[in-house]
Amino acid sequence: MAANLHYLHFPDQILQTKFQSKQFKPVIRSKTNGHCVVSCLSSSNGRGPGGLDDGVKSVEKLLEEKRRVDLSAGIASGKFTVKKLSFPLQLRNNLLKLGIPKVVVESLLKWTGSLEDYPRIPEAKGSISALQNEAFFLALYELYLTYGGIFRLTFGPKSFLIVSDPSIAKHILKDNPKAFSKGILAEILDFVMGKGLIPADGEIWRRRRRAVVPALHQKFVSAMISLFGESTDRLCKKLDDAASDGEDVEMESLFSRLTLDIIGKAVFNYDFDSLKVDTGIVEAVYTVLREAEDRSVAPIPFWEIPIWKDISPKLKKVNAALKLINDTLDDLIAICKRMVDEEELNFHEEYMNEQDPSILHFLLASGDDVSSKQLRDDLMTMLIAGHETSAAVLTWTFYLLVKEPSVMSKLQNEVDSVLGDRFPTIEDMKKLKYTTRVINESLRLYPQPPVLIRRSMEDDLLGDYPIKRGEDIFISVWNLHRSPNHWEDPDKFNPERWPLDGPNPNETNQNFSYLPFGGGPRKCIGDMFATFETVGAVAMLVRRFDFQMALGAPPVEMTTGATIHTTKGLNMTVTRRRRPPIIPTLEPTVQVGSLLNIPEVKTVLGQNDEVSSASPS
Ligand code: HEM
């Protein structure tokens, strides 16, 4: 186990030996316009031809280490990432400040050939196999420490820009979001989400965001709190049985089932009841989810190969699963439509049907087209977006908690005094401050997803570097959240880093060094829903049980899908807590909007008239 803790806690050390010094060998290659250009030579072992004697090898090793130290020093001093503005760049900026349109300025500079003088983005070259044996975001972290806040990662003819600089992330997500699409992500997810809210771009996205965001209003989120309690209670019963039988439990799959049950009810009022039964529909949802994850890490789009796509048993299974889900969705939409037709509709901003408070009910009542593929795409998108992410947050939160008993005991004290032995209420959310900080900190260490994907739709400037249209970009949230430049003791699980009386940390008050729910107009629409869901679940579970890693459990390592998974599950021993919970006194009801300093859930027009779920606090 100890070895794994190192693996998870000190990815930099692991990668220095395992990844960086072997597959990617940095050298300072040339100077362009006074600026060093960094590249990486790929070699089988990074140490040159075989047959050299040990002495030569160790000299080479020393030289390589020195090169690396020099490089890191150069990066730390801003040599590669913070460039002095060249004359054309200064001219460009000044012309823009004078109000001359960007396209005119850029054409002028292109015409005079001045753009050639721009600094070039540091480049790491390597073989894709270097990234395949481990969670790829770990490799990106090590490369970030060497190449800085923006670099190009090149595999043969294909290249990606890796962004780990908060101001560049802010530029892409918030300041100039219209210049970036979802790119590869939209291509990968097309089979399951179509033009749903996550992959959609342009006018379709704008229209759907305006339609869907209002459904997650304050009253809806408040109504969901009791759903969170009921569903988590089912999980508690399961854990209770395991505790009685002395059986270990695999928490990752249980969390996945818990959040599937919750999101099914919240999005379309369907009880998967997956904690109890394994129906065909639950299996179908998992088949589709795994396929989406496989596609997101596949080196080639095998699902597009003409004959393969017709004969592959795996793809046939995926198609059958999709059909079952779509048929079920059609039935649910029809049932819901009948309910809407039968009710005396008084649709308003905070409309909610008490029997069926689901997002689907809101959308149909608001006049959404029942027969549209768009409605199905959005429902599927929310099912997936709200399921895997929350499950991963719970998984890694418990992993972190069992390793930090002092945090666990502080957390249990808070929960005992706030909740006692009852379901959380909306009022409790304001009081569960430390629990919320635990989730904030877990989301910092294990952001879900660990990278955000974009593609440039026009030429642009990232920092001082010009980029062309069509660049695939990975914003590494993992790197931002663990950067030694922005965080003290970045790998430490330390909920205390967020003061209890301070604001709820978000991308705005942390200047894009922390973006657990993204930022700008495409920020997550379920941020408050997910925060309450995970805070409520953690509170109920730690109030009733003590958790430990199971004896002989496989090492907890990470693997990448859409979110961060464990490689072999999170096996724990669960025991009932002996300490009787304290029953607290309830205080008067408070408004959702004032809770946790989280912004009110209301429909606001964000910048550029985009609808965002919440205005920044
Ligand atoms: C802890 C749980 C969650 C986390 C960590 C999370 C994280 C994120 C992030 C980082 C984004 C931005 C993606 C990007 O910019 O490329 C996002 C977008 C989104 N999330 Fe969440 N999410 C969570 C829960 C939910 C829930 C519960 C729902 C649905 C009720 C949801 C629905 C969405 C949707 C629809 C988008 C796309 C918004 C758009 O592009 O306009 N998420 N989420």
Side-chain angles (χ1 to χ4, degrees), residues 601-614:
V601 187
K602 62 179 180 187
T603 312
V604 291
L605 292 180
Q607 58 152 25
N608 307 328
D609 275 359
E610 316 298 14
V611 181
S612 66
S613 63

Side-chain angles (χ1 to χ4, degrees), residues 83 85 116 190 195 447 475 501 523 532 560:
K83 309 251 182 221
L85 292 190
E116 297 307 316
D190 182 63
K195 297 269 179 286
I475 300 172
D501 52 1
K523 185 174 174 176
F532 289 168
T560 328

Side-chain angles (χ1 to χ4, degrees), residues 403-421:
K403 290 195 301 147
E404 282 300 339
S406 62
V407 175
M408 179 62 114
S409 99
K410 204 166 159 186
L411 176 67
Q412 287 178 322
N413 283 342
E414 176 180 89
V415 176
D416 285 350
S417 68
V418 173
L419 272 191
D421 198 19

Side-chain angles (χ1 to χ4, degrees), residues 173 182 197-198 205 209 216 263 267 359 381-382 385-386 389-390 393 443 448-449 452-454 515-518 521-526 529-530 533-534:
L173 298 175
K182 289 289 179 99
L197 210 46
I198 285 187
W205 167 76
R209 178 123 185 156
L216 286 96
I263 203 73
V267 174
I359 295 175
T381 300
M382 282 185 274
T389 43
S390 298
V393 173
L443 270 166
Q448 314 292 348
L452 303 180
I453 298 175
R454 294 292 189 274
L515 41 155
F517 293 104
R522 303 216 59 161
K523 185 174 174 176
C524 178
I525 64 169
F529 178 104
E533 176 189 22
T534 47

